[in-house]
Each structure stands twice: as C-alpha cells, then as structure tokens.
Amino acid sequence: MRVFKLKEIDSTNNYIKSIENKKAGDIVIAEKQTLGRGRRGNKWFSNEGAALFSFLLEKDKRISIEEYSILSLIVGYSVYEVLKELDKLDFKFKWTNDIYIKDKKISGVLIESFKEFFIIGIGVNLNNNIPNEIKDIAISLKDITGKKYDIECVAKKIVEKVFYNIEVLKNRENWEKMLENINSINYLFGKRIEIYGDRILETGIAGDILESGELEVFVGGEIKKFNIGEIHIER
Ligand code: BT5
C-alpha cells in the first residue's frame, strides 16, 4: 500500500490518475482540496481536518459490470463499519453509498472508472468544521464526540476494509448477510423520496435495497426498482 500525502490539490480523484506505475491499493490523501468533487458535477466541500482520499482498485475481468454495480454499496458499507469501530454511534447508510448521522451527511463516495482501475474517492468529515453553506445538511464526527481523529489511520482502515469486504463477498451468502445489515440501517426506508428513473422524476416511498443493489420504491400502487440515481428526500 503506497500512500501519497499532499498538502493541497484540486481533487485526489484527479491527482491519482497522474501517478506513475499505478498499483491497486495506492492511496492519495490531501489535507485540503480546492475543487473537491461529488457525483454529477456536485461540489464536495473539502476543508482541513476532513479525510479526503482516493485509492485504486483493479478491475477484475471475471466480475461482470452488473456485479460491480454493488461496489458502490460495498464501499459505503465499509466506511460505515470503520466509523462504527471508531465510535458506536447511530450511523445510517443512505443508498447508494453515503453515511448519515443525526439526519446529516458525514461521508460521501465518488467512484470513477479509469483504464484498468476504479478510482474510489472518499470524503469523511472527521476533524473539520462544517462550512456555513452546508450546516443544515452536513455534520462532522468531532462535532458529535469532541474527539480528534488520526486521518491517515482512518483512511487506511477504510481502504483495508474495502479490500477485505470485496474478498469476503466473492461468496454469495456473505453478500446476503451484508445486505441484511445494510437494510437494517437503511436511512431512506419509509421516507418519501423523489428519484430519477429513465430521466423521469418519480415520487414514492423508499423500501429495501435489493440483492441487485437497486432500491425498491413504492410509486402509486406499484413497486419499482431504481439503479443508482439522484435522490431527494421530501422533508
Ligand atoms: C458525494 O457526492 O458524496 C461524493 C463525495 C466524494 C468526495 C471525495 S473527497 C476525495 C475525493 N476527491 C474528490 O474530488 N472527491 C472525492 P454526491 O452524492 O454528489 O454529494 C454531493 C453533495 O453532498 C453536495 O451537493 C452537497 O449537498 C453535499 N456536500 C458537499 N460537501 C459536503 C461535505 N463536506 N459534507 C457533507 N455533505 C457535503
């Protein structure tokens, strides 16, 4: 596991593309990002004290693209497991890979495909102060516990957890067990949400996360399944 530590960079997901002799498990950690990215052009606020890192996972040709659609869930759940090991708090898993606590987001994941690798970018609000712009929707672990965390150590633990979980999940039964755990902390369950399916905005009540990684949503009298989508929770 090679760890590249940076003071400041636009985005660790961008920087990792430029490192030489890329190997699975390489990690880039930055103290700050000037252009932290979320999905679909969303911004990720990346001030000092947050865990901001990306790592490489080699694509395995034996694993189909459908199976990889659950990668997002596995990464999110791995973050959850590490946070739970740090502090036994009431963390929730928000499909497809965010971690929430007290109805606010503490962690997000951005996965990109790059040549023979997946770049997995993770942001966790650990020791950072939350900027005013997102005070209503975001939270930092230190705001809850008052503790200071070792960012590099937490990042490494998350990367190790992802690799470990991927190995373990090669056995289908283990995936069923993990999915059960994920569903027991499913933040969206029972909530009225708006979600894009085939570019049409649908409104419904979120149900379970399915074996395929899709989310079940009750729309009118119908049960529909959704793939990774942009979700809004109605408050
Ligand atoms: C994500 O996107 O949640 C993916 C975030 C991934 C960030 C990491 S940091 C290391 C690596 N390098 C990068 O450039 N990115 C990755 P998405 O699901 O689109 O959520 C983005 C939304 O989360 C924003 O539109 C805000 O509403 C909210 N948000 C932004 N910054 C936040 C923060 N620091 N904490 C909590 N919520 C935040």
Side-chain angles (χ1 to χ4, degrees):
M1 202 184 255
R2 293 188 299 176
V3 183
F4 299 81
K5 292 190 235 174
L6 308 169
K7 275 239 163 283
E8 184 178 302
I9 196 74
D10 53 351
S11 155
T12 54
N13 264 43
N14 296 349
Y15 183 85
I16 206 164
K17 292 178 187 164
S18 68
I19 63 177
E20 307 265 327
N21 303 320
K22 294 181 193 49
K23 287 185 195 68
D26 286 348
I27 312 177
V28 173
I29 304 183
E31 286 176 21
K32 259 195 220 172
Q33 292 183 132
T34 50
L35 269 179
R37 294 190 282 120
R39 297 173 307 161
R40 298 181 195 85
N42 291 335
K43 170 176 175 172
W44 186 258
F45 287 81
S46 305
N47 51 331
E48 231 172 305
L52 306 161
F53 61 102
S54 302
F55 67 97
L56 296 173
L57 178 74
E58 199 155 28
K59 290 177 189 165
D60 182 338
K61 292 191 181 65
R62 290 163 302 177
I63 301 179
S64 69
I65 203 76
E66 288 76 33
E67 285 172 297
Y68 268 128
S69 69
I70 63 168
L71 180 61
S72 179
L73 298 171
I74 297 168
V75 175
Y77 188 69
S78 301
V79 175
Y80 164 83
E81 286 190 307
V82 170
L83 290 179
K84 195 79 181 179
E85 280 167 24
L86 289 178
D87 293 290
K88 298 234 163 325
L89 300 171
D90 194 19
F91 297 105
K92 300 279 183 212
F93 180 97
K94 179 173 168 260
W95 184 81
T96 56
N97 55 27
D98 294 339
I99 305 304
Y100 269 57
I101 183 159
K102 296 181 186 288
D103 286 320
K104 291 179 177 174
K105 183 157 161 174
I106 189 165
S107 168
V109 176
L110 172 68
I111 302 180
E112 296 178 300
S113 176
F114 184 70
K115 299 183 178 165
E116 69 269 38
F117 296 104
F118 285 112
I119 296 175
I120 303 186
I122 300 180
V124 189
N125 299 317
L126 282 182
N127 304 321
N128 52 311
N129 293 319
I130 301 294
N132 280 335
E133 295 100 305
I134 53 169
K135 274 248 154 73
D136 291 345
I137 55 156
I139 195 163
S140 173
L141 197 52
K142 71 117 179 139
D143 286 341
I144 306 169
T145 65
K147 290 195 237 170
K148 191 164 191 266
Y149 298 86
D150 181 332
I151 295 173
E152 190 178 331
C153 171
V154 172
K156 281 185 185 159
K157 274 192 184 158
I158 292 174
V159 176
E160 280 162 11
K161 191 71 93 181
V162 171
F163 279 99
Y164 173 82
N165 279 332
I166 286 175
E167 266 324 295
V168 168
L169 291 177
K170 288 186 176 157
N171 174 347
R172 186 114 210 123
E173 269 176 37
N174 291 331
W175 168 231
E176 281 162 24
K177 237 177 277 157
M178 183 186 284
L179 188 61
E180 212 177 290
N181 293 342
I182 292 177
N183 273 313
S184 71
I185 48 164
N186 177 1
Y187 179 70
L188 292 178
F189 186 86
K191 289 195 167 63
R192 175 166 286 277
I193 61 165
E194 285 185 328
I195 185 170
Y196 276 101
D198 276 340
R199 297 198 202 101
I200 301 166
L201 189 64
E202 307 250 36
T203 304
I205 306 288
D208 281 326
I209 297 158
L210 307 170
E211 242 185 276
S212 57
E214 293 163 303
L215 180 71
E216 184 177 68
V217 183
F218 299 88
V219 181
E222 232 184 299
I223 299 177
K224 292 193 176 179
K225 294 175 189 173
F226 289 85
N227 257 313
I228 298 179
E230 183 93 57
I231 289 208
H232 295 283
I233 303 165
E234 290 188 1
R235 294 198 182 233

